[in-house]
Amino acid sequence: MEMRKTQVRHLLKDKRFLFASFLITWAAALQGHMMWLQRQDSFKEKFGDLNTDSESQV
């Protein structure tokens, strides 16, 4: 059990592990953001842009 704890501590200190974790997290966040933007675009295509509709009626 003690051997496993030291391996985990060594792994967390390893800069390559931290960089890889950061890179994976960044890529997942970017993918989520791109999916959210795509949903926004499809909503605008389906229902139109609400801001321009309200300005044209005034």
PDB file of all heavy atoms in Angstrom, residues 19-36:
ATOM      1  N   PHE A  19       0.830  18.375 -17.610  1.00  0.00           N
ATOM      2  CA  PHE A  19       0.612  18.992 -18.908  1.00  0.00           C
ATOM      3  C   PHE A  19      -0.408  18.205 -19.725  1.00  0.00           C
ATOM      4  O   PHE A  19      -1.303  18.789 -20.346  1.00  0.00           O
ATOM      5  CB  PHE A  19       1.931  19.104 -19.681  1.00  0.00           C
ATOM      6  CG  PHE A  19       1.765  19.709 -21.042  1.00  0.00           C
ATOM      7  CD1 PHE A  19       1.513  21.053 -21.180  1.00  0.00           C
ATOM      8  CD2 PHE A  19       1.837  18.916 -22.175  1.00  0.00           C
ATOM      9  CE1 PHE A  19       1.335  21.617 -22.435  1.00  0.00           C
ATOM     10  CE2 PHE A  19       1.669  19.467 -23.429  1.00  0.00           C
ATOM     11  CZ  PHE A  19       1.413  20.817 -23.560  1.00  0.00           C
ATOM     12  N   ALA A  20      -0.296  16.879 -19.694  1.00  0.00           N
ATOM     13  CA  ALA A  20      -1.250  16.045 -20.444  1.00  0.00           C
ATOM     14  C   ALA A  20      -2.655  16.192 -19.869  1.00  0.00           C
ATOM     15  O   ALA A  20      -3.630  16.278 -20.626  1.00  0.00           O
ATOM     16  CB  ALA A  20      -0.801  14.592 -20.403  1.00  0.00           C
ATOM     17  N   SER A  21      -2.768  16.259 -18.554  1.00  0.00           N
ATOM     18  CA  SER A  21      -4.079  16.439 -17.938  1.00  0.00           C
ATOM     19  C   SER A  21      -4.677  17.784 -18.327  1.00  0.00           C
ATOM     20  O   SER A  21      -5.868  17.886 -18.626  1.00  0.00           O
ATOM     21  CB  SER A  21      -3.965  16.363 -16.422  1.00  0.00           C
ATOM     22  OG  SER A  21      -3.490  15.113 -16.033  1.00  0.00           O
ATOM     23  N   PHE A  22      -3.856  18.826 -18.305  1.00  0.00           N
ATOM     24  CA  PHE A  22      -4.320  20.146 -18.706  1.00  0.00           C
ATOM     25  C   PHE A  22      -4.759  20.151 -20.162  1.00  0.00           C
ATOM     26  O   PHE A  22      -5.797  20.712 -20.508  1.00  0.00           O
ATOM     27  CB  PHE A  22      -3.222  21.191 -18.486  1.00  0.00           C
ATOM     28  CG  PHE A  22      -3.569  22.538 -19.026  1.00  0.00           C
ATOM     29  CD1 PHE A  22      -4.449  23.362 -18.340  1.00  0.00           C
ATOM     30  CD2 PHE A  22      -3.049  22.979 -20.235  1.00  0.00           C
ATOM     31  CE1 PHE A  22      -4.796  24.601 -18.840  1.00  0.00           C
ATOM     32  CE2 PHE A  22      -3.387  24.220 -20.736  1.00  0.00           C
ATOM     33  CZ  PHE A  22      -4.259  25.034 -20.036  1.00  0.00           C
ATOM     34  N   LEU A  23      -3.984  19.516 -21.016  1.00  0.00           N
ATOM     35  CA  LEU A  23      -4.301  19.484 -22.445  1.00  0.00           C
ATOM     36  C   LEU A  23      -5.612  18.743 -22.706  1.00  0.00           C
ATOM     37  O   LEU A  23      -6.444  19.198 -23.504  1.00  0.00           O
ATOM     38  CB  LEU A  23      -3.155  18.825 -23.212  1.00  0.00           C
ATOM     39  CG  LEU A  23      -3.205  18.916 -24.722  1.00  0.00           C
ATOM     40  CD1 LEU A  23      -3.152  20.368 -25.159  1.00  0.00           C
ATOM     41  CD2 LEU A  23      -2.059  18.134 -25.329  1.00  0.00           C
ATOM     42  N   ILE A  24      -5.832  17.639 -22.025  1.00  0.00           N
ATOM     43  CA  ILE A  24      -7.074  16.886 -22.198  1.00  0.00           C
ATOM     44  C   ILE A  24      -8.260  17.695 -21.700  1.00  0.00           C
ATOM     45  O   ILE A  24      -9.319  17.743 -22.344  1.00  0.00           O
ATOM     46  CB  ILE A  24      -6.972  15.526 -21.477  1.00  0.00           C
ATOM     47  CG1 ILE A  24      -5.982  14.629 -22.215  1.00  0.00           C
ATOM     48  CG2 ILE A  24      -8.329  14.862 -21.361  1.00  0.00           C
ATOM     49  CD1 ILE A  24      -5.608  13.374 -21.470  1.00  0.00           C
ATOM     50  N   THR A  25      -8.095  18.352 -20.555  1.00  0.00           N
ATOM     51  CA  THR A  25      -9.173  19.178 -20.012  1.00  0.00           C
ATOM     52  C   THR A  25      -9.487  20.339 -20.942  1.00  0.00           C
ATOM     53  O   THR A  25     -10.657  20.658 -21.189  1.00  0.00           O
ATOM     54  CB  THR A  25      -8.783  19.706 -18.618  1.00  0.00           C
ATOM     55  OG1 THR A  25      -8.445  18.599 -17.790  1.00  0.00           O
ATOM     56  CG2 THR A  25      -9.891  20.503 -17.987  1.00  0.00           C
ATOM     57  N   TRP A  26      -8.463  20.975 -21.480  1.00  0.00           N
ATOM     58  CA  TRP A  26      -8.655  22.102 -22.402  1.00  0.00           C
ATOM     59  C   TRP A  26      -9.375  21.640 -23.664  1.00  0.00           C
ATOM     60  O   TRP A  26     -10.295  22.308 -24.147  1.00  0.00           O
ATOM     61  CB  TRP A  26      -7.306  22.724 -22.740  1.00  0.00           C
ATOM     62  CG  TRP A  26      -7.415  23.825 -23.733  1.00  0.00           C
ATOM     63  CD1 TRP A  26      -7.776  25.113 -23.501  1.00  0.00           C
ATOM     64  CD2 TRP A  26      -7.172  23.716 -25.145  1.00  0.00           C
ATOM     65  NE1 TRP A  26      -7.776  25.810 -24.681  1.00  0.00           N
ATOM     66  CE2 TRP A  26      -7.407  25.002 -25.697  1.00  0.00           C
ATOM     67  CE3 TRP A  26      -6.765  22.674 -25.981  1.00  0.00           C
ATOM     68  CZ2 TRP A  26      -7.248  25.234 -27.059  1.00  0.00           C
ATOM     69  CZ3 TRP A  26      -6.617  22.929 -27.326  1.00  0.00           C
ATOM     70  CH2 TRP A  26      -6.864  24.203 -27.846  1.00  0.00           C
ATOM     71  N   ALA A  27      -8.979  20.493 -24.202  1.00  0.00           N
ATOM     72  CA  ALA A  27      -9.603  19.985 -25.426  1.00  0.00           C
ATOM     73  C   ALA A  27     -11.072  19.633 -25.184  1.00  0.00           C
ATOM     74  O   ALA A  27     -11.926  19.911 -26.029  1.00  0.00           O
ATOM     75  CB  ALA A  27      -8.836  18.764 -25.930  1.00  0.00           C
ATOM     76  N   ALA A  28     -11.371  19.060 -24.031  1.00  0.00           N
ATOM     77  CA  ALA A  28     -12.763  18.725 -23.722  1.00  0.00           C
ATOM     78  C   ALA A  28     -13.598  19.993 -23.558  1.00  0.00           C
ATOM     79  O   ALA A  28     -14.742  20.056 -24.026  1.00  0.00           O
ATOM     80  CB  ALA A  28     -12.827  17.879 -22.451  1.00  0.00           C
ATOM     81  N   ALA A  29     -13.036  21.009 -22.923  1.00  0.00           N
ATOM     82  CA  ALA A  29     -13.760  22.269 -22.759  1.00  0.00           C
ATOM     83  C   ALA A  29     -13.983  22.945 -24.112  1.00  0.00           C
ATOM     84  O   ALA A  29     -15.055  23.499 -24.374  1.00  0.00           O
ATOM     85  CB  ALA A  29     -12.996  23.195 -21.819  1.00  0.00           C
ATOM     86  N   LEU A  30     -12.983  22.898 -24.970  1.00  0.00           N
ATOM     87  CA  LEU A  30     -13.120  23.490 -26.302  1.00  0.00           C
ATOM     88  C   LEU A  30     -14.187  22.763 -27.110  1.00  0.00           C
ATOM     89  O   LEU A  30     -15.005  23.397 -27.790  1.00  0.00           O
ATOM     90  CB  LEU A  30     -11.781  23.440 -27.035  1.00  0.00           C
ATOM     91  CG  LEU A  30     -11.761  24.045 -28.430  1.00  0.00           C
ATOM     92  CD1 LEU A  30     -12.060  25.543 -28.367  1.00  0.00           C
ATOM     93  CD2 LEU A  30     -10.417  23.810 -29.092  1.00  0.00           C
ATOM     94  N   GLN A  31     -14.213  21.453 -27.020  1.00  0.00           N
ATOM     95  CA  GLN A  31     -15.227  20.685 -27.745  1.00  0.00           C
ATOM     96  C   GLN A  31     -16.623  21.013 -27.213  1.00  0.00           C
ATOM     97  O   GLN A  31     -17.565  21.180 -27.991  1.00  0.00           O
ATOM     98  CB  GLN A  31     -14.952  19.197 -27.614  1.00  0.00           C
ATOM     99  CG  GLN A  31     -15.919  18.347 -28.411  1.00  0.00           C
ATOM    100  CD  GLN A  31     -15.602  16.875 -28.297  1.00  0.00           C
ATOM    101  OE1 GLN A  31     -14.789  16.462 -27.488  1.00  0.00           O
ATOM    102  NE2 GLN A  31     -16.261  16.072 -29.111  1.00  0.00           N
ATOM    103  N   GLY A  32     -16.760  21.120 -25.904  1.00  0.00           N
ATOM    104  CA  GLY A  32     -18.046  21.486 -25.330  1.00  0.00           C
ATOM    105  C   GLY A  32     -18.488  22.866 -25.762  1.00  0.00           C
ATOM    106  O   GLY A  32     -19.663  23.104 -26.048  1.00  0.00           O
ATOM    107  N   HIS A  33     -17.550  23.799 -25.824  1.00  0.00           N
ATOM    108  CA  HIS A  33     -17.874  25.155 -26.255  1.00  0.00           C
ATOM    109  C   HIS A  33     -18.301  25.175 -27.717  1.00  0.00           C
ATOM    110  O   HIS A  33     -19.269  25.862 -28.082  1.00  0.00           O
ATOM    111  CB  HIS A  33     -16.665  26.061 -26.045  1.00  0.00           C
ATOM    112  CG  HIS A  33     -16.884  27.465 -26.474  1.00  0.00           C
ATOM    113  ND1 HIS A  33     -17.754  28.317 -25.829  1.00  0.00           N
ATOM    114  CD2 HIS A  33     -16.366  28.181 -27.505  1.00  0.00           C
ATOM    115  CE1 HIS A  33     -17.750  29.484 -26.437  1.00  0.00           C
ATOM    116  NE2 HIS A  33     -16.919  29.436 -27.461  1.00  0.00           N
ATOM    117  N   MET A  34     -17.609  24.413 -28.559  1.00  0.00           N
ATOM    118  CA  MET A  34     -17.968  24.359 -29.966  1.00  0.00           C
ATOM    119  C   MET A  34     -19.347  23.721 -30.163  1.00  0.00           C
ATOM    120  O   MET A  34     -20.128  24.168 -31.011  1.00  0.00           O
ATOM    121  CB  MET A  34     -16.909  23.579 -30.760  1.00  0.00           C
ATOM    122  CG  MET A  34     -15.552  24.247 -30.773  1.00  0.00           C
ATOM    123  SD  MET A  34     -15.582  25.905 -31.447  1.00  0.00           S
ATOM    124  CE  MET A  34     -15.813  25.565 -33.154  1.00  0.00           C
ATOM    125  N   MET A  35     -19.659  22.710 -29.372  1.00  0.00           N
ATOM    126  CA  MET A  35     -20.990  22.102 -29.458  1.00  0.00           C
ATOM    127  C   MET A  35     -22.056  23.098 -29.023  1.00  0.00           C
ATOM    128  O   MET A  35     -23.135  23.171 -29.616  1.00  0.00           O
ATOM    129  CB  MET A  35     -21.048  20.846 -28.587  1.00  0.00           C
ATOM    130  CG  MET A  35     -20.251  19.686 -29.139  1.00  0.00           C
ATOM    131  SD  MET A  35     -20.146  18.297 -28.007  1.00  0.00           S
ATOM    132  CE  MET A  35     -21.848  17.840 -27.871  1.00  0.00           C
ATOM    133  N   TRP A  36     -21.772  23.897 -27.999  1.00  0.00           N
ATOM    134  CA  TRP A  36     -22.723  24.906 -27.533  1.00  0.00           C
ATOM    135  C   TRP A  36     -22.941  25.963 -28.608  1.00  0.00           C
ATOM    136  O   TRP A  36     -24.069  26.384 -28.864  1.00  0.00           O
ATOM    137  CB  TRP A  36     -22.205  25.542 -26.244  1.00  0.00           C
ATOM    138  CG  TRP A  36     -23.128  26.564 -25.677  1.00  0.00           C
ATOM    139  CD1 TRP A  36     -24.276  26.341 -24.980  1.00  0.00           C
ATOM    140  CD2 TRP A  36     -22.998  27.988 -25.782  1.00  0.00           C
ATOM    141  NE1 TRP A  36     -24.855  27.538 -24.631  1.00  0.00           N
ATOM    142  CE2 TRP A  36     -24.093  28.564 -25.113  1.00  0.00           C
ATOM    143  CE3 TRP A  36     -22.054  28.824 -26.364  1.00  0.00           C
ATOM    144  CZ2 TRP A  36     -24.267  29.934 -25.023  1.00  0.00           C
ATOM    145  CZ3 TRP A  36     -22.229  30.179 -26.263  1.00  0.00           C
ATOM    146  CH2 TRP A  36     -23.331  30.724 -25.605  1.00  0.00           C
TER     147      TRP A  36
END
